[in-house]
Amino acid sequence: RDPQHARDPGHDCAKSTLAAVFVAGVVWKSQRCQGVPRHSRTSRCRRSAVRESNALGRREVFQGAASQATLPAAAASAMAAPTKALAAPAKALQLPSFGVGAWAWGDRLFWGYDEKQDADLRAGFETCIRGGVKLFDTAELYGPGRSEELLGKFIKDSGVSGVQVATKFAAFPWKVSREDVVSACKGSLARLGMDSIDLYQIHFPAVWKNEVFWDGLGDCFEKGLVKAVGVSNYGSAAVRAISKTLAARGIPLTSNQIQYSLVYRFPELNGMKATCDELGVKILAYSPLGLGALTGKWSMESLPSGPRETIAKKLLQDPNWSGLIAAMKDVAAQHGPNTTLSQIAIAWCIAKGTTPIPGIRNVKQAEDNIRAMQIPLSVGEVDALDAAAAKVAPYISPAESPFNSLRESLDTKQRLYEA
């Protein structure tokens, strides 16, 4: 509990404490508490979460860990190949204007995942493929691991080619070497059943050792395990730093995946988007529907469950919320009677030059979201939406974020998190 004592990266107490704090920030509650009704959760659940997170520091998070995973032959061969630095910059991966996020495919806390939903998820995936969607984003943390497994199975069973798969490395505090990144990449490849990953990202800045993870990301690229690399939740300074590190090895930083929507515009306001545009780093916009808020389906009589309920109440009670919904309806009316608010929210992200990756859990959501690709917004429409959104108070401020105390790297003192 002594701050100076806890900041010693070599101290076991520091490692276990930071691991517990970080997992609590990322997941908020242990998986052990996810099945407990909200009114029944007690300090026992919270103590269990801390014990579980400390235990995670002493073993791999996933049963399909790299040390136990069996890789496809091509990937195993790539692992054995000698690493060679690139003499010239590699060609950056071209990302489409629209993709699909698979966070909900396995997440029980935020999205209430149940194995009974797998048939709907598969049908939604197949609808996306028929609709021309090529990019699917997942992560080892989603599920954990379940999202990767489902996506890999859906792709294999469909027999479709040309799908771009993006996944992410979870930079937990007990991972301290570049080999940890390569090992995690092996685990993701095994769960996906693939020989290589199109886009491999660092899911969030770590509390320390970030430069080591950047080296590991480059190693994955040079070993042929991944075709492109990116980051997620990185701020401007961090994007510039990793971009410079990778460029020294001839590796382009392809993307930065950040929250971005009409109700979360911090990347525009704090210079993050401008930095990415300057460096040629594509923004993957996650939660472009504001965790469901921008569908227009929320009301005080119809609230979402879980942590999203608090978000919904805050937005619905904002006196300017109705103005944003009205502006979205006005724009939707200009694009046909069947145009939905979800489509306008996604089209706004596309108009801003980002690649939105909304989640889909069934055929209806897939069909609705896909149509956004055919809705070009005019400059005037974008301006009208910007003006209405600017009047709505953010549903969470940077100071209230669970990551706020972890924004600064303990070893380099760099401020790494976006917003």
Side-chain angles (χ1 to χ4, degrees):
R1 294 183 179 180
D2 176 356
Q4 296 303 318
H5 183 78
R7 288 188 180 183
D8 177 7
H11 200 284
D12 290 339
C13 177
K15 292 178 181 177
S16 62
T17 300
L18 285 167
V21 170
F22 195 77
V23 172
V26 173
V27 185
W28 272 345
K29 294 188 177 83
S30 169
Q31 290 282 349
R32 183 175 302 181
C33 291
Q34 289 186 6
V36 180
R38 295 180 68 201
H39 64 272
S40 301
R41 292 179 184 169
T42 65
S43 59
R44 173 176 60 82
C45 285
R46 292 188 290 273
R47 290 194 298 272
S48 295
V50 173
R51 287 196 297 270
E52 180 68 13
S53 61
N54 282 332
L56 288 173
R58 297 188 292 271
R59 69 175 187 271
E60 282 290 344
V61 182
F62 312 108
Q63 292 180 352
S67 60
Q68 301 172 359
T70 301
L71 281 174
S77 175
M79 284 296 297
T83 300
K84 293 191 293 184
L86 298 178
K91 185 177 180 180
L93 177 71
Q94 295 300 308
L95 295 173
S97 63
F98 177 86
V100 166
W103 176 16
W105 300 9
D107 181 88
R108 300 180 191 275
L109 174 62
F110 251 86
W111 301 108
Y113 168 77
D114 186 283
E115 286 77 5
K116 296 177 182 178
Q117 300 170 357
D118 288 356
D120 284 339
L121 294 175
R122 179 189 293 274
F125 168 82
E126 292 172 349
T127 299
C128 288
I129 293 297
R130 289 193 297 271
V133 177
K134 295 294 184 181
L135 174 65
F136 292 83
D137 177 80
T138 181
E140 62 174 352
L141 190 59
Y142 299 162
R146 180 63 175 168
S147 177
E148 289 180 323
E149 292 171 354
L150 287 173
L151 178 57
K153 181 174 176 59
F154 294 165
I155 293 174
K156 179 180 179 181
D157 292 349
S158 71
V160 67
S161 61
V163 174
Q164 289 182 328
V165 173
T167 191
K168 298 182 280 294
F169 162 76
F172 288 123
W174 53 84
K175 297 181 180 181
V176 294
S177 72
R178 63 200 297 169
E179 289 77 16
D180 286 328
V181 184
V182 176
S183 179
C185 185
K186 282 183 59 180
S188 290
L189 282 167
R191 287 186 291 276
L192 288 162
M194 302 177 69
D195 292 328
S196 66
I197 294 166
D198 293 284
L199 177 61
Y200 196 48
Q201 309 151 92
I202 297 177
H203 204 152
F204 38 78
V207 294
W208 59 42
K209 304 289 185 182
N210 286 280
E211 292 78 4
V212 171
F213 296 146
W214 302 347
D215 291 338
L217 204 62
D219 293 345
C220 290
F221 181 89
E222 290 180 352
K223 290 176 183 293
L225 298 178
V226 305
K227 298 174 183 176
V229 296
V231 291
S232 180
N233 298 304
Y234 267 45
S236 291
V239 166
R240 291 186 184 280
I242 186 175
S243 183
K244 182 178 180 180
T245 296
L246 292 173
R249 299 171 68 172
I251 305 172
L253 179 67
T254 296
S255 60
N256 185 18
Q257 184 177 149
I258 52 179
Q259 184 172 179
Y260 185 59
S261 72
L262 278 165
V263 290
Y264 194 90
R265 297 176 60 225
F266 287 116
E268 284 187 2
L269 307 177
N270 63 17
M272 176 68 260
K273 185 176 183 301
T275 295
C276 288
D277 291 345
E278 173 194 337
L279 298 177
V281 175
K282 189 73 171 181
I283 288 180
L284 297 182
Y286 72 77
S287 296
L289 300 180
L291 299 173
L294 296 170
T295 63
K297 298 176 181 178
W298 289 359
S299 69
M300 295 305 291
E301 293 73 35
S302 180
L303 294 169
S305 59
R308 292 189 300 153
E309 180 179 349
T310 301
I311 294 171
K313 288 180 178 178
K314 184 170 183 178
L315 289 173
L316 291 169
Q317 292 169 357
D318 189 308
N320 294 308
W321 177 247
S322 60
L324 174 57
I325 296 299
M328 294 178 70
K329 288 181 177 179
D330 287 343
V331 173
Q334 302 302 313
H335 295 273
N338 297 321
T339 302
T340 65
L341 299 193
S342 297
Q343 293 163 2
I344 295 303
I346 294 170
W348 177 85
C349 289
I350 295 175
K352 292 287 186 173
T354 72
T355 296
I357 49 172
I360 63 99
R361 290 185 284 173
N362 52 53
V363 170
K364 184 178 180 180
Q365 290 178 353
E367 291 175 341
D368 189 53
N369 292 346
I370 288 172
R371 187 172 178 272
M373 292 189 287
Q374 281 75 51
I375 301 179
L377 298 184
S378 68
V379 173
E381 289 171 333
V382 172
D383 289 345
L385 293 171
D386 285 348
K391 298 176 182 178
V392 177
Y395 67 80
I396 184 171
S397 70
E400 295 171 336
S401 168
F403 301 107
N404 189 50
S405 62
L406 302 170
R407 291 191 190 285
E408 186 178 276
S409 177
L410 295 179
D411 48 2
T412 65
K413 305 304 179 185
Q414 280 186 308
R415 292 182 65 81
L416 297 173
Y417 265 101
E418 193 282 317

